[in-house]
């Protein structure tokens, strides 16, 4: 095959398509999967919601495709699923000496359209005058403008349709949240997996795929906490959803809100945005977080620290790929340092970014002294993030000097060293026993309002990788 997983992901219009196609490869019964040995063709049939299966064909030579499903996304999830099967499990395809009639029909129409001969003037025909040529050019320009106007009108119609669908989805979400509160939080916590999965499926159908993915992850966030902490965490999660829904209704065209509710911009759109914030600096990879989501995707978060800023400034590189693709090689490793120009996604508090240009690696060393900026209130950065975007969850922090201790129940805590009030923050997960009591000069971590997720720290022994 002449395409790989990176090519397939580049063809996907949004994260929802990746998720749907990933599920489809696992759950859908394909009656036929075939490939033509002499032609770069693969095709198959997929049983959809109707009585007749959808017919999908892909030309692996130039990535052309067609599917008979009614989806408005191009390529649709059935096409992406066919590509994924071809890239990850080529043995699933049976060799075909001849192509099916419907495949030949598509191939004939496509090649006929793509190879229209250029009209040449007949011998002896009179050449057009300058005026006639100018009028012909003007007519062609009018036709081109009309085509552009029709395309833009269609885009506006699709955008309006998506906005109406998302608005209806948020209304349904509000009703669902009210039902959970009416039935009681204890019941919600116990049955959160089934309840969240049902509303997430409804939101996907109503074009709020990003919000659906977030709701689908609520049960795992709750189960990571102690049982007595789960009701408070449930209130916090549902409250953030309410705030996000209200914010979207007040500004449905806000790029950050659209990204969190429906679909995200492509890499090319972010890099081409003239209003996007750009920062050229020296960066260190302070940690990474890899999580397998319930929708079949793996989220890979890489956290960067700006080493030239006088105050702690972070950037997040976020990538998604199907779990069926296996773990991919990382472009960055914790502790790497490099010069780069980053372009940030438009946001109320810009954090997620793309590496637009990487100028080379640099030697490792200590972090800048951020003590003055974080000693008074280590959670000040989290408060600023919540003021600007209260629907966000994790906030990156730089903690002042302080050790990691364990209480009587075996839970780990970060303890501020120079705080007379004895500020202490709980840590999620297990902590390496060799870190207990160690004097940490500075610690980079994520704070979700209840737990710290440690990334890295500086100590007398040098840099410590905690992620």
């Amino acid at each position: 095959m002449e395409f790989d997983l990176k090519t397939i992901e580049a063809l996907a219009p949004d994260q929802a398509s990746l998720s749907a196609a990933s599920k489809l490869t696992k759950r859908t019964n394909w009656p036929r999967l075939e490939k033509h040995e002499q032609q770069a063709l693969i095709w198959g049939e997929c049983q959809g919601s109707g009585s007749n299966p959808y017919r999908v064909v892909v030309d692996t030579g130039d990535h052309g495709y067609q599917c008979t499903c009614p989806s408005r996304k191009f390529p649709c999830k059935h096409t992406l699923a066919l590509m994924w099967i071809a890239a990850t499990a080529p043995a699933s395809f049976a060799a075909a000496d001849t192509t099916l009639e419907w495949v030949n029909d598509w191939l004939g129409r496509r090649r006929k359209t793509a190879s229209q001969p250029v009209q040449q003037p007949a011998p002896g025909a009179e050449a057009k005058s300058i005026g006639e040529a100018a009028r012909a050019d003007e007519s062609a320009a009018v036709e081109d403008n009309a085509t552009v106007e029709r395309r833009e009108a269609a885009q506006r119609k699709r955008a309006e349709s998506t906005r109406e669908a998302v608005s209806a989805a948020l209304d349904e979400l509000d009703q669902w949240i009210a039902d959970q509160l009416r039935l009681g939080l204890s019941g919600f916590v116990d049955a959160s997996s089934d309840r969240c999965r049902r509303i997430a499926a409804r939101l996907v159908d109503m074009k709020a795929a990003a919000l659906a993915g977030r709701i689908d992850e609520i049960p795992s966030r709750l189960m990571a906490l102690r049982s007595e902490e789960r009701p408070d965490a449930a209130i916090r999660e549902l409250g953030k959803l309410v705030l996000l829904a209200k914010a979207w209704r007040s500004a449905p065209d806000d790029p950050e809100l659209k990204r969190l509710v429906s679909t995200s911009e492509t890499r090319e759109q972010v890099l081409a945005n003239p209003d996007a914030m750009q920062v050229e600096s020296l960066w260190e990879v302070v940690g990474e977080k890899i999580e397998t989501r319930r929708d079949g995707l793996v989220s890979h978060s890489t956290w960067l620290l700006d080493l030239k800023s006088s105050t702690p400034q972070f950037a997040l590189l976020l990538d998604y790929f199907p779990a069926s693709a296996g773990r991919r090689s990382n472009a960055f490793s914790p502790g790497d340092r490099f010069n780069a120009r980053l372009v940030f996604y438009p946001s109320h508090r810009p954090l997620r970014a793309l590496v637009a240009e990487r100028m080379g690696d640099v030697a490792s060393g200590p972090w800048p002294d951020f003590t003055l900026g974080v000693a008074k209130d280590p959670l000040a950065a989290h408060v600023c993030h919540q003021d600007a975007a209260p629907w966000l969850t994790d906030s990156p922090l730089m903690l002042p000097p302080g050790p990691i201790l364990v209480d009587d129940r075996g839970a780990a805590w970060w303890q501020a060293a120079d705080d007379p009030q004895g500020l202490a923050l709980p840590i999620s997960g297990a902590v390496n026993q060799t870190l207990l009591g160690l004097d940490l000069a500075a610690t980079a971590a994520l704070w979700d309002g209840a737990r710290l997720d440690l990334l890295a720290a500086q100590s007398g022994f040098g840099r410590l990788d905690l992620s």
Side-chain angles (χ1 to χ4, degrees), residues 210 255-265 345-347 352:
E256 179 183 13
L257 299 175
K258 290 174 64 176
R259 191 182 315 127
L260 295 174
V261 173
S262 54
T263 58
S264 176
E265 312 95 317
Y345 282 72
S347 175
R352 184 180 175 184

Side-chain angles (χ1 to χ4, degrees), residues 14-20 22-23 26-27 197 200 204 208-221 259-262 289-301 318-324 352:
D14 53 35
Q15 179 185 333
S17 296
L18 289 174
S19 173
S22 178
K23 293 178 182 177
K26 300 176 182 178
R27 302 179 183 175
R197 175 55 60 90
V204 168
L211 184 59
R214 175 170 176 169
I215 294 175
D216 217 9
E217 297 304 312
I218 289 179
S220 61
R221 296 176 71 93
R259 191 182 315 127
L260 295 174
V261 173
S262 54
K289 193 174 182 181
I290 302 175
E291 297 177 313
T292 301
R293 295 157 39 116
R294 298 182 69 190
D295 57 7
L297 293 180
V298 176
S299 65
H300 187 173
S301 304
L318 184 57
D319 187 23
Y320 294 96
F321 57 92
S324 59
R352 184 180 175 184

Side-chain angles (χ1 to χ4, degrees), residues 262-339:
S262 54
T263 58
S264 176
E265 312 95 317
T266 63
R267 174 185 176 88
E268 291 71 22
Q269 289 173 330
V270 175
L271 295 177
N273 187 351
D275 299 326
M277 185 179 77
Q278 301 190 28
V279 178
E280 182 176 329
S281 185
L282 175 63
W283 304 91
E284 178 180 314
V285 180
V286 292
E288 62 179 3
K289 193 174 182 181
I290 302 175
E291 297 177 313
T292 301
R293 295 157 39 116
R294 298 182 69 190
D295 57 7
L297 293 180
V298 176
S299 65
H300 187 173
S301 304
T302 303
W303 293 91
L304 307 180
L305 174 65
D306 188 348
L307 299 177
K308 289 186 178 180
S309 176
S310 58
T311 59
Q313 299 295 329
F314 294 87
L316 168 63
L317 308 180
L318 184 57
D319 187 23
Y320 294 96
F321 57 92
S324 59
R327 178 159 182 167
R328 302 192 296 187
S329 59
N330 299 336
F332 307 100
S333 298
D336 287 352
R337 288 191 173 192
F338 53 90
N339 279 307

Side-chain angles (χ1 to χ4, degrees), residues 8-9 12 58 80 91 120 122 157 179 196 200-201 233 245 259 299 304-305 325-326 334 344 360 365 406 411 459:
I8 298 169
E9 292 172 26
V58 175
L80 291 173
Q120 299 291 340
K157 185 176 180 179
D179 291 341
C196 290
R259 191 182 315 127
S299 65
L304 307 180
L305 174 65
F344 286 78
V406 176
S459 70

